[in-house]
Amino acid sequence: MTGTKEFLLLSAELTGFGVGQLSATGLADTYRSLVLERAGPNRLDRLRTAVAAGAGRPPAFPDESVRELARAVVHLWYLGTWPGLPPAGVPGTAGGSADAPTDERVDERTDRSADGPFVVSSRAYAEGLVWRTFGTRAPGTAAQEHGSWSLPPTVEEPAAGPPGPRRDAATAPAGQR
C-alpha cells in the first residue's frame, strides 16, 4: 500500500465512515504514515488484501496480527490514539500466529510495539470519529458561551455529510462481522 487514497479506502471499509468524511479530518496522511511506521508495509498490505477480498462482506483475517492491525486502525480513527500492537508473526504472542507466513514477519526496524499506546496529537483527539458519531465536539476543544450548560445540546452536521457512519455501512465493526 503506497498511497493515501488506498489508505482512505481501507479506513472507510473498517470504520464505516465515507472517504470524504475521513479526508475532512485532515489526518489521513498522518495516520497512514503512523500505521506504516508502527506496523510495517507487509502487515498493512495483508490487511488491505483481507478487507478487499471481503467485497462488502466481513473480511476473513488470515491471522491474529492482521486482525489486531484492523482494530488498531479503527481505534486510531475513532479516538485519535494509537493503541500499540503486539509483535507480528511471532508464534505464541497475541500478535503472532503459528499460521502466519514467515516472509511476512515484521523486522526489528519497523516493529515499534514496545512503544505502547499514545495520543497522536491534540488535533487527532479533536477530530476523532467518536465525536462525529455523537454529533458533537470533543470536550475542551471549543469555547462555550456563558450559561451554555443550561441549554440542550445541539447536533452539528459536518460539511462532509451527517454525523456518524455511512448509512449503508454494516453495523458491526469489521473485526467482529
Side-chain angles (χ1 to χ4, degrees):
M1 173 176 295
T2 56
T4 301
K5 183 177 180 179
E6 287 178 303
F7 182 73
L8 280 168
L9 290 169
L10 170 65
S11 296
E13 285 296 318
L14 292 172
T15 64
F17 278 78
V19 169
Q21 291 172 308
L22 297 177
S23 186
T25 67
L27 293 164
D29 287 326
T30 300
Y31 287 172
R32 179 185 158 277
S33 296
L34 185 133
V35 170
L36 280 170
E37 176 189 333
R38 301 294 166 151
N42 290 338
R43 200 170 184 180
L44 186 55
D45 279 340
R46 290 175 50 224
L47 173 60
R48 184 187 53 78
T49 301
V51 171
R57 296 182 322 261
F61 296 114
D63 59 63
E64 188 64 23
S65 70
V66 174
R67 182 179 336 240
E68 286 296 325
L69 179 56
R71 288 180 187 140
V73 169
V74 171
H75 189 104
L76 180 63
W77 280 104
Y78 271 83
L79 301 176
T81 62
W82 179 250
L85 288 172
V90 180
T93 67
S97 167
D99 299 329
T102 55
D103 61 335
E104 295 290 340
R105 294 177 192 217
V106 176
D107 65 32
E108 294 173 9
R109 292 169 298 172
T110 59
D111 183 19
R112 308 281 178 129
S113 60
D115 293 355
F118 62 90
V119 177
V120 174
S121 68
S122 58
R123 181 174 179 199
Y125 164 75
E127 293 292 332
L129 299 180
V130 67
W131 310 119
R132 291 177 188 221
T133 301
F134 293 148
T136 189
R137 293 184 184 165
T141 61
Q144 300 291 319
E145 295 180 25
H146 177 71
S148 63
W149 53 267
S150 66
L151 302 171
T154 59
V155 175
E156 299 177 8
E157 293 213 16
R166 299 184 318 248
R167 300 294 179 230
D168 63 333
T171 56
Q176 298 176 3
R177 290 187 255 168

